Amino acid sequence: MKKSPLELLKDELAGETAPEGWYTIMQLMEKLGAKRTAIDNLVKRKQWRAKRFRAMSTDGKTLRMNHYYVGKL
């Protein structure tokens, strides 16, 4: 079912939380124990899907960050 333009705007402004299997670069770094460059290269090589979801930054701010669909880790 398609979302109306108003619903799309609300999602864009408020953002939604990431479902299971979607991780930020920082979360992937922690889980896999690798550095950022290695994770960036892995994302490019595997061509994981990217989508923006709401996430908490390290300083406590709520931001919309890129999340990558990895599946189960």
Coordinates of all heavy atoms in Angstrom, one line a residue:
M1 N 0.8 -1.2 0.0 CA 0.0 0.0 0.0 C 0.9 1.2 0.0 O 1.8 1.4 0.8 CB -0.9 0.0 1.3 CG -1.9 1.1 1.3 SD -3.0 0.8 2.7 CE -3.0 2.3 3.4
K2 N 0.6 2.2 -0.9 CA 1.3 3.4 -1.0 C 1.0 4.4 0.1 O -0.2 4.4 0.6 CB 1.1 4.1 -2.3 CG 1.8 3.5 -3.5 CD 1.7 4.3 -4.7 CE 2.7 4.0 -5.7 NZ 2.7 4.9 -6.8
K3 N 2.0 5.1 0.6 CA 1.7 6.1 1.6 C 1.4 7.4 0.9 O 1.9 7.7 -0.2 CB 3.0 6.3 2.4 CG 3.3 5.1 3.3 CD 4.4 5.5 4.2 CE 4.7 4.3 5.2 NZ 5.8 4.7 6.1
S4 N 0.5 8.2 1.6 CA 0.2 9.5 1.1 C 1.4 10.5 1.2 O 2.3 10.2 2.1 CB -1.1 10.1 1.8 OG -0.7 10.4 3.1
P5 N 1.4 11.6 0.5 CA 2.5 12.6 0.7 C 2.6 13.1 2.1 O 3.7 13.3 2.6 CB 2.1 13.7 -0.3 CG 1.3 13.0 -1.3 CD 0.5 11.9 -0.6
L6 N 1.5 13.2 2.8 CA 1.5 13.7 4.2 C 2.2 12.7 5.1 O 3.0 13.0 5.9 CB 0.1 14.0 4.7 CG 0.0 14.5 6.1 CD1 0.8 15.8 6.2 CD2 -1.5 14.7 6.5
E7 N 1.9 11.4 4.9 CA 2.5 10.3 5.7 C 4.0 10.2 5.4 O 4.8 10.0 6.3 CB 1.9 9.0 5.4 CG 0.5 8.9 5.9 CD -0.2 7.6 5.5 OE1 0.1 7.1 4.4 OE2 -1.1 7.1 6.2
L8 N 4.4 10.4 4.1 CA 5.8 10.4 3.8 C 6.5 11.6 4.4 O 7.7 11.4 4.9 CB 6.0 10.5 2.2 CG 5.6 9.2 1.5 CD1 5.6 9.5 0.0 CD2 6.5 8.1 1.8
L9 N 5.9 12.7 4.5 CA 6.5 13.9 5.1 C 6.7 13.7 6.6 O 7.7 14.0 7.2 CB 5.7 15.2 4.8 CG 6.2 16.5 5.4 CD1 7.5 16.8 4.9 CD2 5.2 17.6 5.2
K10 N 5.7 13.1 7.2 CA 5.7 12.8 8.7 C 6.9 11.8 9.0 O 7.6 12.0 9.9 CB 4.4 12.2 9.2 CG 3.3 13.2 9.4 CD 2.1 12.6 9.9 CE 0.9 13.5 10.0 NZ -0.3 12.8 10.4
D11 N 7.0 10.8 8.1 CA 8.1 9.8 8.3 C 9.5 10.5 8.1 O 10.4 10.2 8.8 CB 8.0 8.7 7.3 CG 6.9 7.7 7.7 OD1 6.4 7.8 8.8 OD2 6.5 6.9 6.8
E12 N 9.5 11.4 7.2 CA 10.8 12.1 6.9 C 11.2 13.0 8.1 O 12.3 13.1 8.5 CB 10.7 13.0 5.6 CG 11.9 13.7 5.2 CD 13.0 12.8 4.8 OE1 12.7 11.7 4.3 OE2 14.2 13.2 4.9
L13 N 10.2 13.7 8.7 CA 10.5 14.6 9.8 C 10.8 13.9 11.1 O 11.7 14.2 11.8 CB 9.3 15.6 10.0 CG 9.1 16.6 8.9 CD1 7.9 17.4 9.1 CD2 10.3 17.5 8.7
A14 N 9.9 12.9 11.4 CA 10.1 12.2 12.7 C 11.1 11.1 12.6 O 11.8 10.8 13.5 CB 8.7 11.7 13.1
G15 N 11.1 10.4 11.4 CA 11.9 9.3 11.3 C 11.4 8.1 12.0 O 10.6 8.2 12.9
E16 N 11.7 6.9 11.6 CA 11.3 5.7 12.2 C 12.5 4.9 12.7 O 13.6 5.1 12.2 CB 10.4 4.9 11.3 CG 11.1 4.6 9.9 CD 10.2 4.0 8.9 OE1 9.3 4.6 8.5 OE2 10.5 2.8 8.5
T17 N 12.3 4.1 13.7 CA 13.4 3.3 14.2 C 13.7 2.2 13.3 O 12.8 1.7 12.6 CB 13.1 2.8 15.6 OG1 11.9 2.0 15.6 CG2 12.9 3.9 16.6
A18 N 14.9 1.8 13.3 CA 15.4 0.7 12.4 C 14.9 -0.7 12.8 O 14.9 -1.0 14.0 CB 16.9 0.7 12.4
P19 N 14.3 -1.4 11.9 CA 13.9 -2.8 12.2 C 15.1 -3.7 12.4 O 16.2 -3.3 12.2 CB 13.1 -3.2 11.0 CG 13.4 -2.2 9.9 CD 14.0 -1.0 10.5
E20 N 14.8 -4.9 12.8 CA 15.9 -5.9 13.1 C 16.7 -6.2 11.8 O 16.1 -6.3 10.7 CB 15.3 -7.2 13.5 CG 16.2 -8.2 14.1 CD 16.9 -7.8 15.4 OE1 16.2 -7.1 16.1 OE2 18.1 -8.1 15.5
G21 N 18.0 -6.2 11.9 CA 18.8 -6.5 10.7 C 19.4 -5.3 10.0 O 20.2 -5.4 9.2
W22 N 19.0 -4.1 10.5 CA 19.5 -2.8 9.9 C 20.5 -2.2 10.9 O 20.1 -2.0 12.1 CB 18.4 -1.8 9.6 CG 17.5 -2.3 8.5 CD1 16.5 -3.1 8.5 CD2 17.6 -1.8 7.1 NE1 15.9 -3.3 7.3 CE2 16.6 -2.5 6.4 CE3 18.4 -0.9 6.5 CZ2 16.4 -2.2 5.0 CZ3 18.2 -0.7 5.1 CH2 17.2 -1.3 4.4
Y23 N 21.7 -1.9 10.5 CA 22.7 -1.4 11.4 C 23.4 -0.1 10.8 O 23.6 0.0 9.6 CB 23.7 -2.4 11.7 CG 23.2 -3.7 12.3 CD1 22.9 -4.8 11.6 CD2 23.0 -3.7 13.7 CE1 22.4 -5.9 12.1 CE2 22.4 -4.9 14.3 CZ 22.1 -6.0 13.5 OH 21.6 -7.1 14.1
T24 N 23.8 0.8 11.7 CA 24.7 1.9 11.3 C 26.1 1.4 11.1 O 26.5 0.4 11.6 CB 24.6 3.1 12.3 OG1 25.2 2.6 13.5 CG2 23.2 3.6 12.5
I25 N 26.9 2.3 10.6 CA 28.3 2.0 10.4 C 29.0 1.8 11.8 O 29.8 0.9 12.0 CB 29.1 3.1 9.7 CG1 28.6 3.2 8.2 CG2 30.6 3.0 9.8 CD1 29.2 2.1 7.3
M26 N 28.6 2.6 12.8 CA 29.2 2.5 14.1 C 28.8 1.2 14.8 O 29.6 0.6 15.4 CB 28.8 3.7 15.0 CG 29.2 5.1 14.4 SD 31.0 5.2 14.2 CE 31.5 5.4 15.9
Q27 N 27.6 0.8 14.6 CA 27.1 -0.5 15.2 C 27.8 -1.7 14.5 O 28.2 -2.6 15.2 CB 25.6 -0.6 15.0 CG 24.8 0.3 15.9 CD 23.3 0.3 15.5 OE1 23.0 0.0 14.4 NE2 22.5 0.7 16.5
L28 N 28.0 -1.6 13.2 CA 28.8 -2.6 12.5 C 30.2 -2.7 13.0 O 30.8 -3.8 13.1 CB 28.7 -2.4 11.0 CG 27.4 -2.7 10.4 CD1 27.4 -2.2 8.9 CD2 27.0 -4.1 10.5
M29 N 30.8 -1.5 13.2 CA 32.2 -1.5 13.7 C 32.3 -2.2 15.1 O 33.2 -3.0 15.3 CB 32.7 0.0 13.9 CG 33.0 0.6 12.6 SD 33.3 2.4 12.7 CE 34.6 2.5 13.9
E30 N 31.3 -1.9 16.0 CA 31.3 -2.6 17.3 C 31.1 -4.1 17.2 O 31.8 -4.9 17.8 CB 30.3 -2.0 18.2 CG 30.5 -0.6 18.6 CD 29.3 0.1 19.3 OE1 28.4 -0.7 19.7 OE2 29.4 1.3 19.6
K31 N 30.1 -4.5 16.4 CA 29.8 -5.9 16.3 C 30.8 -6.8 15.6 O 31.1 -7.9 16.0 CB 28.4 -6.1 15.6 CG 27.3 -5.7 16.4 CD 26.0 -6.0 15.8 CE 24.8 -5.6 16.6 NZ 24.5 -6.5 17.7
L32 N 31.4 -6.2 14.5 CA 32.4 -7.0 13.8 C 33.8 -6.7 14.2 O 34.7 -7.5 13.8 CB 32.3 -6.6 12.3 CG 30.9 -6.9 11.6 CD1 30.9 -6.4 10.2 CD2 30.6 -8.4 11.7
G33 N 34.1 -5.7 15.1 CA 35.4 -5.5 15.6 C 36.4 -5.0 14.5 O 37.5 -5.3 14.6
A34 N 35.9 -4.2 13.6 CA 36.7 -3.7 12.5 C 36.7 -2.2 12.5 O 35.9 -1.6 13.1 CB 36.2 -4.3 11.2
K35 N 37.7 -1.6 11.7 CA 37.8 -0.2 11.6 C 36.8 0.3 10.6 O 36.3 -0.4 9.8 CB 39.2 0.2 11.3 CG 40.1 -0.1 12.5 CD 41.5 0.5 12.2 CE 42.3 0.2 13.5 NZ 43.6 0.8 13.4
R36 N 36.6 1.6 10.6 CA 35.6 2.2 9.7 C 35.9 2.0 8.2 O 35.0 1.7 7.4 CB 35.5 3.7 10.0 CG 34.4 4.4 9.2 CD 34.3 5.9 9.5 NE 33.1 6.4 8.8 CZ 31.9 6.6 9.3 NH1 31.8 6.4 10.6 NH2 31.0 7.1 8.6
T37 N 37.1 2.1 7.8 CA 37.5 1.9 6.4 C 37.1 0.5 6.0 O 36.6 0.3 4.9 CB 39.0 2.2 6.2 OG1 39.3 3.5 6.7 CG2 39.3 2.2 4.7
A38 N 37.4 -0.5 6.8 CA 37.1 -1.8 6.4 C 35.6 -2.0 6.3 O 35.1 -2.7 5.4 CB 37.7 -2.8 7.5
I39 N 34.8 -1.4 7.2 CA 33.4 -1.6 7.1 C 32.8 -0.9 5.9 O 31.9 -1.4 5.2 CB 32.7 -1.0 8.4 CG1 33.2 -1.8 9.7 CG2 31.2 -1.0 8.3 CD1 32.7 -3.2 9.7
D40 N 33.3 0.3 5.6 CA 32.9 1.1 4.4 C 33.2 0.2 3.1 O 32.3 0.1 2.2 CB 33.6 2.4 4.2 CG 33.1 3.5 5.2 OD1 31.9 3.3 5.6 OD2 33.8 4.4 5.5
N41 N 34.3 -0.4 3.1 CA 34.7 -1.3 1.9 C 33.8 -2.5 1.8 O 33.4 -2.9 0.8 CB 36.1 -1.7 2.0 CG 37.1 -0.5 1.7 OD1 36.7 0.5 1.1 ND2 38.3 -0.6 2.3
L42 N 33.5 -3.0 3.0 CA 32.6 -4.2 3.1 C 31.2 -3.8 2.6 O 30.5 -4.6 1.8 CB 32.5 -4.7 4.5 CG 31.7 -6.0 4.7 CD1 32.4 -7.2 4.0 CD2 31.7 -6.3 6.2
V43 N 30.7 -2.7 3.0 CA 29.3 -2.2 2.5 C 29.3 -2.0 1.0 O 28.4 -2.4 0.4 CB 29.0 -0.9 3.2 CG1 27.8 -0.2 2.6 CG2 28.7 -1.1 4.7
K44 N 30.4 -1.5 0.5 CA 30.4 -1.2 -1.0 C 30.5 -2.6 -1.7 O 29.9 -2.8 -2.8 CB 31.6 -0.4 -1.3 CG 31.4 1.1 -0.9 CD 32.7 1.9 -1.2 CE 32.6 3.3 -0.6 NZ 33.8 4.0 -0.7
R45 N 31.4 -3.5 -1.2 CA 31.6 -4.8 -1.9 C 30.4 -5.6 -1.9 O 30.0 -6.3 -2.9 CB 32.8 -5.5 -1.3 CG 33.2 -6.7 -2.1 CD 34.5 -7.3 -1.6 NE 34.1 -8.1 -0.4 CZ 34.7 -8.1 0.8 NH1 35.7 -7.3 0.9 NH2 34.3 -8.9 1.8
K46 N 29.7 -5.7 -0.7 CA 28.5 -6.5 -0.6 C 27.2 -5.9 -1.1 O 26.2 -6.5 -1.3 CB 28.3 -6.9 0.9 CG 29.3 -7.7 1.5 CD 29.2 -9.1 1.2 CE 30.1 -10.0 2.0 NZ 30.0 -11.4 1.7
Q47 N 27.3 -4.6 -1.4 CA 26.2 -3.8 -1.9 C 25.0 -3.9 -1.1 O 23.9 -4.2 -1.5 CB 25.9 -4.1 -3.4 CG 27.0 -3.8 -4.3 CD 26.8 -4.2 -5.7 OE1 25.8 -4.9 -6.0 NE2 27.6 -3.8 -6.6
W48 N 25.2 -3.7 0.3 CA 24.0 -3.8 1.2 C 23.1 -2.6 0.9 O 23.5 -1.5 0.6 CB 24.5 -3.7 2.6 CG 25.2 -5.0 3.1 CD1 24.9 -6.2 2.6 CD2 26.2 -5.1 4.1 NE1 25.7 -7.2 3.3 CE2 26.5 -6.5 4.2 CE3 26.9 -4.3 4.9 CZ2 27.4 -7.0 5.0 CZ3 27.8 -4.8 5.8 CH2 28.1 -6.1 5.8
R49 N 21.8 -2.9 1.1 CA 20.8 -1.8 0.9 C 20.9 -0.8 2.0 O 21.2 -1.1 3.2 CB 19.4 -2.4 1.0 CG 19.0 -3.2 -0.2 CD 17.6 -3.7 -0.1 NE 17.6 -4.8 0.9 CZ 16.5 -5.1 1.6 NH1 15.3 -4.5 1.3 NH2 16.5 -6.0 2.5
A50 N 20.7 0.5 1.7 CA 20.9 1.6 2.6 C 19.5 2.3 2.8 O 18.8 2.5 1.8 CB 22.0 2.6 2.2
K51 N 19.2 2.7 4.0 CA 18.0 3.5 4.2 C 18.3 4.3 5.5 O 19.0 3.9 6.3 CB 16.8 2.5 4.4 CG 15.5 3.2 4.4 CD 14.4 2.2 4.5 CE 13.0 2.9 4.5 NZ 11.9 2.0 4.6
R52 N 17.6 5.5 5.6 CA 17.8 6.3 6.7 C 16.7 6.1 7.8 O 15.5 6.1 7.5 CB 17.7 7.8 6.3 CG 18.9 8.2 5.4 CD 18.8 9.6 4.9 NE 19.1 10.6 6.0 CZ 20.4 10.9 6.3 NH1 21.4 10.4 5.7 NH2 20.6 11.8 7.2
F53 N 17.2 5.8 9.0 CA 16.3 5.6 10.1 C 16.8 6.5 11.3 O 17.9 7.0 11.3 CB 16.4 4.1 10.6 CG 15.7 3.2 9.7 CD1 16.5 2.3 8.9 CD2 14.4 3.1 9.5 CE1 16.0 1.4 8.0 CE2 13.8 2.2 8.6 CZ 14.6 1.3 7.9
R54 N 15.9 6.6 12.3 CA 16.3 7.4 13.5 C 17.2 6.6 14.3 O 17.0 5.4 14.5 CB 15.0 7.8 14.2 CG 15.2 8.7 15.4 CD 13.9 9.0 16.1 NE 13.2 7.8 16.5 CZ 11.9 7.7 16.4 NH1 11.2 8.6 15.8 NH2 11.3 6.6 16.8
A55 N 18.3 7.2 14.8 CA 19.2 6.6 15.7 C 19.8 7.6 16.7 O 19.7 8.8 16.5 CB 20.4 6.0 14.9
M56 N 20.3 7.0 17.8 CA 20.9 7.9 18.9 C 22.4 8.0 18.6 O 23.1 6.9 18.4 CB 20.6 7.2 20.2 CG 21.0 8.1 21.4 SD 19.9 9.5 21.7 CE 18.5 8.7 22.2
S57 N 22.9 9.2 18.6 CA 24.4 9.4 18.4 C 25.1 9.2 19.7 O 24.5 9.0 20.8 CB 24.7 10.8 17.9 OG 24.3 11.7 18.8
T58 N 26.4 9.2 19.7 CA 27.2 8.9 20.9 C 27.1 10.0 21.9 O 27.3 9.8 23.1 CB 28.7 8.8 20.5 OG1 29.1 9.9 19.8 CG2 28.9 7.5 19.7
D59 N 26.7 11.2 21.5 CA 26.6 12.3 22.4 C 25.1 12.5 22.9 O 24.8 13.5 23.5 CB 27.1 13.6 21.9 CG 26.5 14.1 20.6 OD1 25.7 13.3 20.0 OD2 26.8 15.2 20.1
G60 N 24.2 11.5 22.5 CA 22.9 11.5 23.0 C 21.9 12.2 22.2 O 20.7 12.4 22.5
K61 N 22.2 12.7 21.0 CA 21.3 13.4 20.1 C 20.6 12.3 19.2 O 21.2 11.3 18.8 CB 22.0 14.4 19.2 CG 22.6 15.5 19.9 CD 23.3 16.5 19.0 CE 24.0 17.6 19.7 NZ 24.7 18.5 18.8
T62 N 19.4 12.6 18.9 CA 18.6 11.8 18.0 C 18.8 12.3 16.6 O 18.4 13.4 16.3 CB 17.1 11.7 18.4 OG1 17.0 11.2 19.7 CG2 16.4 10.8 17.4
L63 N 19.3 11.5 15.7 CA 19.6 11.9 14.3 C 19.1 10.8 13.4 O 18.8 9.7 13.7 CB 21.1 12.0 14.1 CG 21.9 12.9 15.0 CD1 23.4 12.7 14.8 CD2 21.5 14.4 14.7
R64 N 18.9 11.2 12.1 CA 18.6 10.3 11.1 C 19.9 9.8 10.4 O 20.6 10.6 9.8 CB 17.6 10.9 10.0 CG 16.3 11.1 10.6 CD 15.3 11.8 9.7 NE 15.4 11.3 8.3 CZ 14.7 10.3 7.8 NH1 13.8 9.7 8.6 NH2 14.8 9.9 6.6
M65 N 20.2 8.6 10.6 CA 21.5 8.1 10.1 C 21.2 7.0 9.0 O 20.2 6.3 9.1 CB 22.3 7.4 11.2 CG 22.7 8.4 12.3 SD 23.7 7.5 13.5 CE 24.0 8.8 14.7
N66 N 22.2 6.8 8.2 CA 22.1 5.7 7.2 C 22.3 4.4 8.0 O 23.2 4.2 8.8 CB 23.3 5.8 6.2 CG 23.0 6.8 5.1 OD1 21.8 7.1 4.9 ND2 24.0 7.3 4.5
H67 N 21.4 3.4 7.6 CA 21.4 2.1 8.2 C 21.6 1.2 7.0 O 21.1 1.4 5.9 CB 20.2 1.7 8.9 CG 20.1 2.4 10.3 ND1 19.9 3.7 10.4 CD2 20.1 1.9 11.5 CE1 19.8 4.0 11.7 NE2 20.0 2.9 12.4
Y68 N 22.3 0.1 7.2 CA 22.5 -0.9 6.1 C 21.9 -2.2 6.5 O 22.0 -2.7 7.6 CB 24.0 -1.0 5.9 CG 24.6 0.3 5.5 CD1 25.2 1.1 6.4 CD2 24.6 0.7 4.2 CE1 25.8 2.3 6.1 CE2 25.1 2.0 3.8 CZ 25.7 2.7 4.8 OH 26.2 4.0 4.4
Y69 N 21.2 -2.9 5.5 CA 20.6 -4.1 5.8 C 21.6 -5.2 5.7 O 22.1 -5.5 4.7 CB 19.4 -4.4 4.9 CG 18.7 -5.7 5.2 CD1 17.9 -5.8 6.4 CD2 18.9 -6.8 4.5 CE1 17.3 -7.0 6.7 CE2 18.3 -8.0 4.8 CZ 17.5 -8.1 5.9 OH 16.9 -9.3 6.3
V70 N 21.9 -5.8 6.8 CA 22.9 -6.9 6.9 C 22.2 -8.2 7.2 O 22.7 -9.3 6.7 CB 23.9 -6.6 8.1 CG1 24.9 -7.7 8.2 CG2 24.5 -5.2 7.9
G71 N 21.1 -8.2 7.8 CA 20.5 -9.5 8.2 C 20.9 -9.8 9.6 O 21.2 -9.0 10.4
K72 N 21.0 -11.1 9.9 CA 21.5 -11.5 11.2 C 23.0 -11.4 11.4 O 23.7 -11.8 10.4 CB 21.1 -13.0 11.5 CG 19.7 -13.2 12.1 CD 19.6 -14.6 12.5 CE 18.3 -14.7 13.3 NZ 18.0 -16.1 13.8
L73 N 23.5 -10.9 12.5 CA 24.9 -10.9 12.8 C 25.2 -11.8 13.9 O 24.5 -12.0 14.9 CB 25.4 -9.5 13.1 CG 25.5 -8.6 12.0 CD1 26.0 -7.2 12.4 CD2 26.5 -9.1 11.0

